[in-house]
Structures are given as structure tokens and as C-alpha cells.
Amino acid sequence: NITNSIGMVVAYIPEGLPVAVTLVLSIVAKRMYKQKILVKSLATVETFNTVSIIATDKTGTLTMNQMTITAILWGRMGEYLVPIHVNEDKTVETEERATNSSRPSFTVKSESNTMNDLVLGACLCNNATKQSSSSDNEDGSENPAMETNYEESSEHTTKLVGDAADVALYRLCQDTLAINIEHVRVVNPRINAVPFNSKNKFMLTANLLEKTEMNTNENVLITLKGAPDFILSRCSTYRDDQSNSEMPITTEFKESIQRRQEKLGRSGYRVIAMVQQIISKDKYDANINEYKKAKKEERLTSDEPDLNGLPHNQYCFIGECQFHLFLPDIMHHTIGMFSLLDPARPEVPGAVLKAFQAQIRVAMVTGDHPITAAAIAKKVNILSQEISINGGIDTFRIEQDNEKGQTLAYLMRNTTIPLETHVIGELTTNVEATCMKTLDMSANVANKKKRRNMKPNICKRILKRIQFYFKDPNEVKIAEKLEIIPYGVVVTGGDIPSMDDYMWDWVLSHKELVFARTSPEQKLRIVMELSKRGEVVAVTGDGTNDAPALKQADLGVAMAAGTDVAKEAGDMILLDNNFSSIIKAIETGRLLSDNLKKVAIYLLPGGSWSEGMPVYFNIWLGIPLLLSAFLAIIFCMLNDVVNSLAMVSEKAERDIMSRPPAIRHKTHLLDWKLLFHAYLIVGNIECFSAYFCFFWYYSVQGIPLSSIFFTYSHYGTDPYIAKSSDDLLLIQQKGQCIYYVALCIMQFFNLLSSRTRYVSFFSYNPLFGKARNLTIPCGILFSTSVGLVLTLIPWLNSVFKTHPVPARFVCPAIGFGAALFLFDELRKLLVRRFPNSFIAKMAW
């Protein structure tokens, strides 16, 4: 009939669940924004619970992005230690020093000419600029993309904008050496430049030198700045410390430079090198004209980037190179190096340890030298004391065996202990990953002819067509994860193109990972290989070239200081560019998953099961309807919804960051464990207690069970009950109120027990302590008030056919509820004591 139909609709539509889910997502998004995390889609929050590895940049994410020049180096032993003034909130003064020399005050006359050349290069080969701003961001916070230098004006602030290394060089020249950089740039105007990018790892500028008494001709200064290994390979001479004359670069000199770089790198210093060349303006113009002509005639066929006619990446003109024709007879000598210190964020080491505790691996992907990358990784615990330092750090070296025509990879531990020699097999340029979002189009084309000749079974075709409409288009295939080995590994980006599947398996099976000297393309390859091996990858990026990796990753994390392209490609934006915010986001995502499960485990037993069973019993067993449609609606929309919303604001349990990540293809919000616990255990106990109270009231009214069951439309007449139809209707209405109140009482105990999944209620109570949640008792009081108002106010009794409920008929529900609560406490105790037991495996 229509009454049963309405009852079924009310019972099996969880009215409170959509409201609770929407509210919990909104609360989580608001909480993340307070944690400096901007989530572009609420659905992204669910991914946090499954992240198994984080591939993070170093500069600005793990470090403070506040680089400071600590030393200027030239020749074999030339060195100037820059005086450092540290603010109270900075950590630079506590960092290790690569040298114990005293720090003299800078005097230009006391230093060599090389020093002056380096300072001039730092002023000119630099893209840092000052910008004026009348106010900060709307929320009062500063833009993390800008280095700020406040001037005396109270209304306007001056900010240094640019790459962190350029800002550090700018501050060195302006603050430490008291040089007017803007004046130097005006009298030595820039006429050509190639800006730094993460692929080339160098910056190249050409400036028209100022005319002086010593220099009356028009000359062009060409300055190249970048990674030392890149710069050194393009130089043929260097300026001697003592004689100040040019000397040819020898193997011994290169080794001495490499030793100085490694010494600085082991202490966490970043090193950049600088070289210069001077040519006449006439020669420069002739070279540029020749370059334009060659470009127009398409005679420039090199795969190297276009450098606008300036010397190409082969900066040392020993032998023939592409631009030797355009730039003959120019001076070329190595000038020196700058060491920079970018202190690690103080909260990052703890955040990395928290990630390890949550069984989430952290991989550093940086463009720095491997030694510098490893040093920073040790400081922030990516290469931890327990695993990498005590156990060992693995590396490998790739060499070509010309005799056998093979490429060999020598796997080593701590650079000295040989592990294995692997013959590199077939290399693949595109990753045929089972979990990738891209399709292998070549395979489809290759099998196209075979598919045409095949005549598939008609049943298979029909089944495939049906499955098409029920299949998730974003579903990925299952890939087994690698077995993790307890060692660290450091990989150089130059070796990545030579790695086959065996090498990738070996590298990515390490617990702690560091990738150095990597390009954005190699970062994308790393993300693809991780996805291929079943990992759920979160990757950070801030540049335009990082967009493919951000898009490919399961969770793309863009930086607020990054480009608009990176922000568009990412799934979330870190407003403070801080790695620890990612860990907070993962913790919040796990809390979201837990709270949604708690809401479901609370709503399903009372909302669906205990409301649906009375309708089934009425239809199948022929008994009177135990719960009216009106009371069912009130129970769903008022009693349960308010308490479920109180459950939304629950705080994280103590073990939330000690559990492994959820398995993407196995973990669901409503899995069979949760449904088993909600329906077959809690739901049946609640139904039984409410039925007990209902039938007890009927027996007290002189109506035995034999006069109730299987009566259907003959209720009251066959078998006969000595009561009028009005009396039977009044008894049924009062029995429905008793069932409703008993169900509310049982849900109170279900609410208290389902607040935690594993932790005891007595150590996680809602009244005081870290787990304090006063919305729980407030929700119980509200639900009690609703029940009292509906059953005690006469006007509502007459309108909605409700009646006062005698207390003794609902007292059994208190006993059953207490039993349910103690039963669940015992279950949690067994789960904690015996985590590998059958009960623990059945826990929701």
C-alpha cells in the first residue's frame, strides 16, 4: 500500500548522508585554507588518503628560499668569506661552515682584480629587480614569490623580485659591498641575454661596457653563470690567484675545483660558477649579423637552444664548435664561484618523519649537484640516520663497453661497495604504464589489423557493451607495488635516459630517494615510472615546464609563487610554499575519510536498517507497522542529521598518521567491512532492542505475539482480540512512539561508540582533553528535546497522532545500548592488542 511505499522510500534514502558529506567537505576545505592550502576541487581531498609517495622540489619547499652568499671563490685558493648578519628569525647562523677562515671586511683594493670581475658579473648577469608596492596581499600576508626589502616609507614597500640566487647576489652587491647596482646597470647597459631555465641551468648576458680612462673603446662583456660542472667544461683558461695572469686549465685544476665544490656541497651549500669574455663592439655586431644571416638561411642545425648569437653551450673554444665561426679571437677564462646557503625550513624535518611514520615515502627532485642534494636531504631527514646514513646510500655508474657493444650499470653502496653489474637492456622513451592517464596509441595502431580480422563472440560483444555504460572512465588498472628495501639512493638526472626497467625497479624500490641535476622532462619521467609501479604520487612544481608532471601526478601540488600554467595544471596550491603543509593536507584528508566512515556507520544502522525492517516485517510477517512514516522522517531529518553533523567535527585519532595509505583500488567509503558492522551487528542489535520494547508494550496491553504475527489484514479479528478498532489503533500509535524513542536511545550509544575506530572512548571522551567535541553532547540534548516535544506536547499529539511514552517501556533500550557500547569497547581493545587477529582484519 501507499503507507509501506512511503516507509520504504524514507527508510532507504539516507537523508542525512548527503548533508553530512557536503558539510564535512566544506569544513575540510576551510580547515585546509587556514593551513595555507587551496584545494581546487573538493573531490581532490579524497586523494590525500591514498598518497604513497611525495616527489618534492628542494628550493622554497624544503628550504626557506632565502639564499645568502657565504663565500666568493676564484682560482685555486682565492676566497672571500662574506660577513653575514642574521636576523632573529633566521637559522643561517647555526648552519655548518665549509671553512674556518675569518671573515674580513670587504675592501676592493685589498682583493684581486678577479674579485672585481666577479662583483661586476654579479651585478650585470642578474635578473633580480626592485618593485614598489603600496600594500601587501588582501589577507595581509606577503607574496612568497617575492623577497622583501622594506624602505623607510610607511605607505610603500620595495620588494626584490627574481630567482632566489639572483636576489642573493643582488643583496651581496647592494647590502654587503655597498654597490649601487642600478647605476652599474645604467652605465653598462644590457644588449643581449638568455635567461636561466631549469633545463639549461645557466644564464647568459651581454653588456656594453662603460668607457673609462683605461678603456676608451666600445667593448662587450659576455657573462655566463650556472652550474660549475656545466661552466667548467666550457672554459680553457683561468686567472691565477697570485700573478693575476691567465693560465690554461689542466686536469689538476679541474680536480681542485671539484674538491672545493664537493667540500661546500657536503655542508649543504649550493655553488654557482661564473665566466666572462670580452670582445669589441664591432666584432660583436659582426657576429650577430652573421648569426642572423645563418639563422635566416637555416644553417643553424644544432639541437641546442637558441642563444641569440651569443656563445653557445660549448663555451670553451678549443677545437671547432658551432659559434667558433662567429666569435674568433675572444678572451675566455674562468672567473670564480659563489657559494650560497639556503637554510632548511625548521618544520620540514619533523614533517618528513611524520610522513615516514605514515608509511609515505618522500623523494627529493632537485636541479642541484648530487652532493649538495644529499647534504640537504640528510638535514631534512629524507636521507635519515637510521636507514641511509647507518645502512648505506646506493648509487650507480653507467659506462659503455665498446668491446662487447654493451652499456653496463655498476650498482654500488656508499660509492665503494660493489653490489651488482647490470647489462642495460632495451630502453623505452615512452612509459607504457598500467596506471598512466595516457594511452599507448602505437599499440592500438599495431593491433588494428588483427582486430579487423577477428570475429568476437556475440555474447562477449553484448557484455562488453553493457560494461561500457557501468565502467568508470577514469578507472586505472591495478599495478603491484615494489617491495621496499631499507636503503637510500641518489640518482643523477644525466643517468635517467640510460635506465631500463630493471634499473627503474631497483632505484624506486629504495625507501629513501634523491634525484639530483634533474630537468622538468626527467621529473615527468620519474612520476610516470612511479605510477607504473602502482604508487599514488603527489608532486610539487612551480614552473611552466613542471606542468606535465603536475598533470600526470595523482595529486599535483603547485606553488603560490609559481607560474599561472603550473597553478592551472595542479590540483591544489600551497599558499606558503611549505612542504609541511602537504603533510598537514594528507592528515586532513585521512581525517576526512575517517569522519565520513563514522558518519556512515552512525546513519546506516538507524536510518536504513532499523527503519526498513519494520516495513519488511509488516509485508512478510503480517504484523502492524512498528514505525510510522512521519516518525521515520523526523528520525532521519532531525535526530540523526544533527548527531551526524556533530560527528563531522571530530578530531583525528592518535594513530591516524601511523596507518599505511589507503589502497586506491581496494579502499572505498562503504566497503563490505563497514556494511557488515553497520547492518548485521549494530543494525540487528538496535532492531532487536526496539522490537523488544514494542512487543513488551503489546504484551502488557494483553495482546500476545500469536495474535500479531501473520495476521495481515485480519489483525484484531483472526485471531480475535478483545479490543475495539480505536483501541487497537491507539495501542499501535503508542507502540510506534515507543519504537521511535527506543531507537533514539540506541543511536545515542551508537554515536558514542562510533566516534573512534580503534581508540577507547574513555581516552577519547567528548567532554574534555584533546578530543573534546561539545557538539556531541549538544546533539544528544537536541535529539532528546525533539523526542520529548513530539511525545509530550498535547497539540502535537493530536496533530501527528503521537502519544506520551511510559519510561519503563524504553528502559530496556538503555540496557541494550550499554551492552552495544561495551561490546564495541571490547572489539576496539582486541584490535589494539592483537592487530593481526581476525577481529582486527574485520574492523571497519
Side-chain angles (χ1 to χ4, degrees), residues 775-786:
T775 56
I776 295 293
C778 291
I780 293 176
L781 290 176
F782 177 82
S783 182
T784 303
S785 301
V786 171

Side-chain angles (χ1 to χ4, degrees), residues 290-300 306 308:
E290 183 66 25
Y291 161 76
K292 291 180 179 179
K293 181 179 179 182
K295 186 177 181 181
K296 185 177 181 179
E297 295 175 358
E298 298 183 354
R299 288 193 282 117
L300 303 178
D306 187 0
N308 300 330

Side-chain angles (χ1 to χ4, degrees), residues 685 746 749 813-825:
I685 293 176
M746 291 299 298
F749 287 97
I814 300 176
F816 284 116
L820 172 64
F821 177 79
L822 295 176
F823 169 79
D824 201 62
E825 284 294 308

Side-chain angles (χ1 to χ4, degrees), residues 130-150:
K130 283 186 177 182
Q131 287 187 1
S132 297
S133 176
S134 58
S135 63
D136 293 331
N137 294 341
E138 295 180 0
D139 60 353
S141 62
E142 298 176 12
N143 190 338
M146 299 181 179
E147 295 286 346
T148 306
N149 178 29
Y150 292 98

Side-chain angles (χ1 to χ4, degrees), residues 246-258:
E246 291 184 20
M247 304 290 292
I249 291 181
T250 61
T251 304
E252 180 184 0
F253 175 80
K254 288 185 178 181
E255 292 177 353
S256 67
I257 294 295
Q258 291 174 356

Side-chain angles (χ1 to χ4, degrees), residues 507-548:
V507 167
L508 299 182
S509 63
H510 287 74
K511 186 173 181 61
E512 299 173 350
L513 305 166
V514 173
F515 295 91
R517 284 283 188 259
T518 56
S519 65
E521 292 79 6
Q522 291 164 350
K523 178 190 283 191
L524 173 62
R525 180 71 184 273
I526 293 169
V527 173
M528 295 168 69
E529 291 290 348
L530 286 168
S531 298
K532 177 181 177 181
R533 287 153 181 83
E535 302 288 349
V536 180
V537 188
V539 64
T540 65
D542 56 3
T544 302
N545 293 334
D546 291 328

Side-chain angles (χ1 to χ4, degrees), residues 210 294 675 697:
E210 177 187 10
L675 296 176
Y697 171 73

Side-chain angles (χ1 to χ4, degrees), residues 98-150:
T99 178
N100 295 322
S101 305
S102 61
R103 293 182 179 276
S105 60
F106 178 75
T107 308
V108 176
K109 294 181 180 179
S110 64
E111 303 296 340
S112 69
N113 292 333
T114 306
M115 183 73 179
N116 296 330
D117 294 338
L118 279 169
V119 173
L120 180 61
C123 294
L124 300 179
C125 191
N126 191 324
N127 279 340
T129 57
K130 283 186 177 182
Q131 287 187 1
S132 297
S133 176
S134 58
S135 63
D136 293 331
N137 294 341
E138 295 180 0
D139 60 353
S141 62
E142 298 176 12
N143 190 338
M146 299 181 179
E147 295 286 346
T148 306
N149 178 29
Y150 292 98

